[in-house]
Amino acid sequence: MRYPAFILVFFLCSAFSLPNNPPDIQRIIADDLPYLIDFYKTRHKNPEISLEEKETSATLAKELEKIGFTVTQNFGGYGIVGIFKNGNGPTILYRTDMDALPMPEKTGLKYASTKTIQYKGAETGAMHSCGHDMHMTSWLGTARAMVKMKKEWKGTLMFIGQPAEEIGAGSKLMLDAGLYKKFGVPDYGIGLHCSPTIPAGQVGLAKGFTMANTESIDIKVFGRGAHGASPHKSIDPVVLSSLMVMEFQTIVSRNVDPIESAVLTVGSITGGTKHNIIPDEVKMQITLRTFKEDVRQLIHKRIREIAKGVAISAGLPEDMYPEVIIPGFSTVPNYNNPELVDQLSASAAKIIGSENVVYAAPQMVAEDFSRYGQTEHKIPTVLYWLGTIPPDRQEAAARGESIPALHSPYFYPDPKPSIETGVTVTTQMMLDLFNTVN
Ligand SMILES: [Zn+2]
Ligand SMILES: [Zn+2]
């Protein structure tokens, strides 16, 4: 059957001008991939560690300005805030971190970092071994896609580049600098993190607490030194420390409700100088990870009680009881708003298929993204996992071999499918969020 020419023209015109016909997200992003892969490799080659993200943040600022964002630089260290207003609608915060780690890269990739830096008085390498370069690339790709599709949504994009995630300080720096006061309180917050276990092409989400509160606790154990051959003249802090380490193992197993989660690891003990001298002081370093405040407080109490109890049992006077130093600063646990997880999972499934949206079990690692949702405004936030593992490593994992974790000098994401998935999924999430609310 043939249609008269004018009807055909009418059909063609309508097909290209339907207001509710969203452009093909995947095509827009596929066209941008060469640019983004190049951006990723350049960032990978040029890592900057926490609080030194000067060139990285300037590059991100320039990229956002190029596509029409208004950018504020040096906001909370080297933090940047990019705002893109596009009519009346909600504001969505999307955060990338920017910092790398002080360690030499051993991936052998063509675009591996060969940079050397001075760190704590010694020369070492610098590497994006936590994938923050992938986070920046997904973030930039999403900004570029959202601007290209600005007819499809109304609202405000708040794209922030956060410094110093690896030292748990960056989100606090930006919030303390007045992020919400100066740029307004967003309605939602989104972030992603590379997963070292989920295959590239997939994403992982979970509701509620997904990452832990983390804090570093120091203990000084005092004693009475003596010759190693005259232990009866000492109160040996090495023995007291050993008793404490063993007693600490009972806190999680005997004091914390078995339904709750906590980790207490004594990562370092130092004391003494020589085989035959009993020292008068030993230092211990503990990492403590919890989800809930009452569990955290209970563990603090038990650490203090055990330290004091061991000292009393050794006959130490009160002024020589161990000193337990619990600094106020710690990374708060990550809480994924359950309703927002449902909504974002549905968007992800729509664009990459539900078989590629997987459950990611909570972990006792930490991320300071959580702070954006834990101000007085309590905005709903979600930090989701971006699958990054290349096929050969997926096969190795399936054979039961161990594959590199985050912070390993051998870790690397598979660039093309990871970027494609990160940008496609986050863009779809944002479009749906804007359009559901409007
Ligand atoms: Zn990290
Ligand atoms: Zn990280």
Side-chain angles (χ1 to χ4, degrees), residues 225-229 238 272-280:
H227 194 291
V238 174
T273 51
K274 204 174 178 300
H275 307 70
N276 60 355
I277 302 172
I278 294 171
D280 53 15

Side-chain angles (χ1 to χ4, degrees), residues 287-303:
T287 185
L288 178 62
R289 284 147 195 252
T290 48
F291 287 134
K292 293 188 182 163
E293 185 57 23
D294 56 343
V295 175
R296 177 177 172 244
Q297 292 301 336
L298 169 71
I299 297 174
H300 289 178
K301 180 170 161 284
R302 290 299 295 138
I303 288 174

Side-chain angles (χ1 to χ4, degrees), residues 3 39 140 163 189 211 230 264 300 305 320 340-342 366 436:
Y3 290 101
F39 174 85
L140 176 62
M211 291 187 194
S230 313
L264 186 162
H300 289 178
E305 285 168 351
M320 288 178 74
L340 192 56
V341 169
D342 280 338
T436 315

Side-chain angles (χ1 to χ4, degrees), residues 97 130 132 135 165-166 193 367:
D97 35 20
C130 204
H132 296 187
H135 305 173
E165 191 286 322
E166 291 294 353
H193 202 294
E367 238 286 357

